């Protein structure tokens, strides 16, 4: 029996239970609460919007260099700590981010809309012709990398393989030292190691070219660190969009009035995409470590303590969102934190938003009725939120 006192790191809470009931109780009774975590001490759980953003935006108090997720050995040094963009603080983080930011601006991403629409439309056409699909595996898992292949220094031949291994790397992130996680990351690292020299000779407008170009201009980054940064970006880029699209589709089909409003053109696509992100919150928690003794929302936190921010809880904070447990495609304002906050705000946010917006537009135009064709399966993870399976059936008009 799963109860509201179930551990936040219990995978069954996410695959079979109701984590929102747990977070709701914590927001009400103990917004910054201490939780034991096996033989490795414990951590603070932050569940309210204001306190969560305080942690995410103040790197001088809460560092990213000790790890960004809870895992069995989270007190041990994290691979890539201080080197990967996600595992560094300013000034290094800002230096790395600046080197690749030009690829992810609103203007740069807008130029990818035609390619995005082509990929989404083709994928949906195929499943409508087939009559059924697993939306997570056949659509949500394939689209992000197919859309951003050139940007992420991938050939189309690489997309299928890398989509599979990035999913494996993300789903095994709770045990980064485990064999499955290591093998998945090894394939990603091998891919990027092999193309560094190619991009030095023949640079393009892509991730590796941007990093080796910045390196040539004096950026303090080794080839190993370039590869680690690419590993970080590709896993994050694929998984965030995949989970938002998959879980958002389920929410849409379970909300007939919202689905009807979308198909009738009664909601703005941009606004609807933001509610997809608020509702799904693909990253379940983010870890920071206290740099020194501090106080957060009246609670004393010691130097070295692990502090976790639970993004889905922030996205349903009653103090910020009206009717937070309702899925409303016309929700405004929508101050969700699905992309995190502060300097580590997701660099791929613009691309994720474009992909979701185009997906919603194409779904609304689709000449078919869509129904849930089997039992959706949720991810058993306190790192990623979303689905592993969503069977759908399609009946062409």
């Amino acid at each position: 029996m799963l109860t509201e006192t179930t551990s936040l790191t219990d995978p069954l809470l996410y695959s079979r239970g109701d984590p929102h009931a747990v977070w709701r109780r914590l927001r009400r009774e103990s917004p910054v609460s201490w939780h034991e975590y096996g033989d490795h001490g414990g951590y603070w759980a932050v569940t309210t919007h204001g306190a969560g953003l305080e942690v995410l935006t103040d790197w001088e108090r809460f560092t990213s260099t000790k790890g960004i997720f809870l895992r069995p050995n989270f007190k041990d040094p994290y691979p890539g700590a201080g080197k990967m963009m996600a595992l560094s603080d300013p000034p290094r983080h800002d230096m790395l981010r600046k080197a690749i930011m030009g690829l992810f601006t609103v203007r740069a991403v807008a130029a990818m809309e035609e390619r995005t629409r082509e990929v989404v439309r083709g994928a949906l056409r195929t499943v409508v012709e087939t009559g059924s699909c697993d939306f997570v595996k056949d659509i949500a898992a394939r689209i992000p990398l197919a859309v951003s292949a050139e940007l992420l220094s991938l050939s189309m031949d690489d997309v299928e393989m890398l989509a599979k291994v990035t999913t494996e790397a993300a789903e095994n992130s709770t045990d980064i030292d485990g064999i499955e996680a290591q093998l998945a990351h090894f394939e990603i690292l091998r891919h990027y190691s092999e193309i560094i020299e190619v991009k030095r000779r023949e640079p393009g407008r892509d991730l590796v070219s941007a990093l080796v170009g910045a390196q040539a201009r004096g950026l303090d980054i080794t080839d190993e660190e370039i590869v680690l940064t690419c590993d970080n970006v590709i896993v994050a880029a694929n998984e965030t969009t995949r989970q938002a699209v998959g879980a958002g589709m389920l929410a849409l089909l379970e909300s007939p009035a919202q689905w009807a409003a979308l198909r009738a053109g009664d909601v703005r696509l941009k606004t609807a995409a933001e509610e997809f992100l608020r509702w799904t919150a693909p990253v379940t928690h983010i870890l920071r470590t206290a740099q020194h003794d501090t106080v957060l929302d009246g609670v004393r936190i010691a130097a070295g303590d692990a502090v976790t921010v639970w993004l889905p809880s922030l996205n349903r904070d009653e103090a910020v969102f009206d009717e937070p447990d309702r899925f409303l495609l016309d929700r405004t304002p929508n101050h969700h934190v699905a992309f995190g906050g502060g300097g580590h705000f997701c660099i791929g946010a613009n691309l994720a938003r474009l992909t979701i917006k185009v997906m919603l537009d194409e779904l609304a135009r689709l000449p078919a009725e869509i129904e849930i064709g089997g039992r959706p399966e949720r991810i058993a993870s306190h790192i990623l939120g979303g689905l592993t399976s969503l069977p759908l059936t399609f009946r062409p008009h």
Side-chain angles (χ1 to χ4, degrees):
M1 176 70 70
L2 297 168
T3 69
E4 290 191 358
T5 58
T6 299
S7 167
L8 289 177
T9 55
D10 182 353
L12 290 180
L13 175 63
Y14 302 93
S15 62
R16 291 168 48 195
D18 183 4
H20 285 287
V22 181
W23 291 320
R24 192 179 302 116
R25 181 176 178 180
L26 288 172
R27 287 196 302 271
R28 183 175 65 247
E29 299 179 2
S30 186
V32 180
S33 56
W34 180 257
H35 299 254
E36 295 295 332
Y37 190 45
D39 299 326
H40 303 277
Y43 61 91
W44 295 99
V46 183
T47 51
T48 54
H49 197 276
L53 279 178
E54 191 174 336
V55 173
L56 295 175
T57 57
D58 192 345
W59 63 269
E60 292 181 314
R61 291 164 66 201
F62 304 101
T63 181
S64 301
T65 60
K66 307 297 184 183
I68 55 174
F69 298 124
L70 288 170
R71 62 196 201 286
N73 58 337
F74 78 101
K75 292 289 187 180
D76 295 343
Y78 202 99
K83 297 180 180 181
M84 291 168 61
M85 190 166 64
L87 292 162
S88 58
D89 294 330
R92 179 168 183 79
H93 169 268
D94 297 348
M95 177 178 63
L96 290 170
R97 191 177 178 99
K98 182 179 179 182
I100 62 175
M101 189 63 226
L103 298 173
F104 298 94
T105 62
V106 172
R107 183 176 181 180
V109 167
M112 299 174 65
E113 181 167 351
E114 184 177 346
R115 168 63 179 165
T116 305
R117 196 168 294 279
E118 176 185 307
V119 169
V120 171
R121 189 174 291 165
L124 290 175
R125 184 186 305 120
T126 298
V127 297
V128 169
E129 291 172 355
T130 303
S132 64
C133 75
D134 186 318
F135 192 80
V136 172
K137 296 180 174 67
D138 299 329
I139 301 293
R142 296 171 183 266
I143 284 175
L145 290 189
V147 165
S148 56
E150 184 177 351
L151 182 70
L152 296 175
S153 315
L154 308 177
S155 71
M156 291 311 296
D157 290 339
D158 297 323
V159 165
E160 194 74 21
M161 181 273 289
L162 274 246
K164 179 176 182 291
V165 298
T166 52
T167 297
E168 290 170 353
E171 290 182 352
N172 287 286
S173 55
T174 52
D175 186 11
I176 197 167
D177 295 321
I179 187 66
E180 291 182 354
Q182 286 192 38
L183 288 173
H185 283 286
F186 174 79
E187 287 300 319
I188 299 170
L189 299 177
R190 181 187 60 77
H191 169 82
Y192 282 108
S193 296
E194 290 175 353
I195 62 174
I196 283 182
E197 289 304 324
V198 174
K199 294 299 181 179
R200 282 201 174 99
R201 295 191 304 269
E202 303 172 17
R205 185 164 177 76
D206 59 84
L207 185 61
V208 175
S209 296
L211 288 167
V212 298
Q215 184 187 53
R217 295 190 299 272
L219 176 68
D220 179 21
I221 183 172
T222 65
D223 284 1
E224 177 193 10
E225 291 164 350
I226 288 176
V227 171
L228 287 170
T229 298
C230 290
D231 175 67
N232 171 216
V233 172
I234 191 174
V235 173
N238 190 51
E239 284 306 302
T240 300
T241 307
R242 174 188 177 221
Q243 300 307 338
V245 167
M249 186 66 193
L250 176 61
L252 196 56
L253 293 175
E254 290 182 332
S255 306
Q258 298 300 305
W259 179 222
L262 178 69
R263 300 207 80 166
D266 293 339
V267 292
R268 296 180 63 223
L269 294 172
K270 181 178 179 180
T271 305
E274 295 304 318
E275 182 67 348
F276 250 53
L277 290 160
R278 182 193 77 90
W279 188 261
T280 59
V283 176
T284 303
H285 82 271
I286 295 175
L287 169 69
R288 295 290 185 258
T289 302
Q291 299 262 48
H292 48 74
D293 292 352
T294 188
V295 175
L296 179 67
D297 200 16
V299 177
R300 294 186 177 277
I301 293 173
D305 279 358
V307 182
T308 57
V309 178
W310 298 82
L311 302 184
S313 179
L314 272 58
N315 281 354
R316 301 211 190 175
D317 189 339
E318 299 82 357
V320 176
F321 301 95
D322 293 331
E323 299 184 282
D325 294 320
R326 289 189 65 197
F327 180 66
L328 301 171
L329 294 181
D330 61 351
R331 180 181 295 277
T332 52
N334 193 341
H335 302 298
H336 70 78
V337 293
F339 292 122
H344 284 276
F345 184 86
C346 179
I347 197 168
N350 291 325
L351 184 55
R353 282 173 163 138
L354 172 68
T355 304
I356 295 168
K357 188 172 71 171
V358 169
M359 173 66 74
L360 288 169
D361 193 23
E362 293 299 322
L363 284 168
R365 300 166 183 263
L366 201 65
E369 294 302 320
I370 309 174
E371 297 175 351
I372 299 172
R375 180 181 175 181
E377 299 290 340
R378 289 187 283 159
I379 297 173
S381 169
H382 62 281
I383 305 270
L384 289 172
L387 304 174
T388 58
S389 179
L390 177 58
L392 298 182
T393 58
F394 299 84
R395 290 186 290 106
H397 290 154

